[in-house]
Amino acid sequence: MLRLFSTVAIALAGLLMLGCRSGRSVLTISELPNYDTLSSDHILFLNFLITGKPGGHESVQLASANVAHGKMKDLNRPVHFPTYIKAVPQYTTGTSEREMVFEHPLYHAAEVSDPSGHLRREEIRAKEGTLLIRMPMRSGLNRLELFSVTPDKGTVKIYTLSFN
């Protein structure tokens, strides 16, 4: 009986440790829709499904990926909330592109109207949300790392997308 208890305890500890690891997947860019080997400029659109709670307890899944021809415009919106998602592209040369910051889809602030017609900022909490990342595709793109940033937990890696 003691042997069974210790085996079950070890198995449960292993499962809990697996739950703490960040997600990981691999994407082959040349197999994406609209990818053209003759075009020199590509924009990569990555859509992620995020569930759970902010601060490293998120589950991230790549929902879709597409490629478009063209150059990027700097259209990033500022994030005014202390909880957010940080995306950092990594390259085979060891350099990293500037990090991108996005509102956290599970916990963010939104402007809502009250009954009198005045706007106010309100905290929005969700159990599921989507994150769209639009980024230039440069040669040597190796992986994209996603981090959950919260005031109490700091920066926690939640997902790594590797590119072939």
Side-chain angles (χ1 to χ4, degrees):
M1 184 69 172
L2 182 60
R3 175 174 258 175
L4 177 65
F5 178 74
S6 62
T7 304
V8 170
I10 291 172
L12 284 175
L15 287 174
L16 288 174
M17 288 175 42
L18 285 175
C20 296
R21 292 175 45 194
S22 63
R24 183 175 197 84
S25 61
V26 178
L27 180 66
T28 304
I29 294 174
S30 62
E31 295 176 359
L32 293 177
N34 301 325
Y35 180 77
D36 183 10
T37 57
L38 301 176
S39 179
S40 61
D41 297 316
H42 289 97
I43 301 172
L44 189 58
F45 294 90
L46 302 169
N47 197 11
F48 295 96
L49 177 64
I50 300 178
T51 56
K53 292 183 180 179
H57 302 289
E58 296 94 334
S59 174
V60 181
Q61 179 181 355
L62 180 65
S64 66
N66 287 304
V67 176
H69 308 286
K71 292 188 178 189
M72 287 277 298
K73 294 180 182 175
D74 191 14
L75 298 175
N76 291 336
R77 292 186 289 183
V79 176
H80 302 291
F81 205 64
T83 301
Y84 57 91
I85 298 282
K86 179 170 63 172
V88 182
Q90 301 288 330
Y91 294 87
T92 55
T93 59
T95 61
S96 63
E97 184 78 16
R98 73 180 172 118
E99 56 190 41
M100 300 170 280
V101 178
F102 303 95
E103 281 190 338
H104 202 296
L106 303 180
Y107 187 55
H108 61 279
E111 288 185 344
V112 295
S113 175
D114 62 13
S116 67
H118 291 86
L119 290 176
R120 70 183 193 306
R121 291 190 80 75
E122 188 173 290
E123 293 181 4
I124 306 294
R125 295 179 190 262
K127 294 180 181 179
E128 179 178 281
T130 58
L131 174 68
L132 175 66
I133 295 180
R134 178 181 52 89
M135 61 183 277
M137 208 173 73
R138 296 195 172 90
S139 64
L141 181 61
N142 190 25
R143 68 182 182 272
L144 177 70
E145 295 177 337
L146 298 181
F147 297 89
S148 178
V149 181
T150 60
D152 57 334
K153 300 275 184 168
T155 303
V156 179
K157 185 194 286 188
I158 57 172
Y159 190 76
T160 301
L161 177 62
S162 299
F163 298 100
N164 284 340

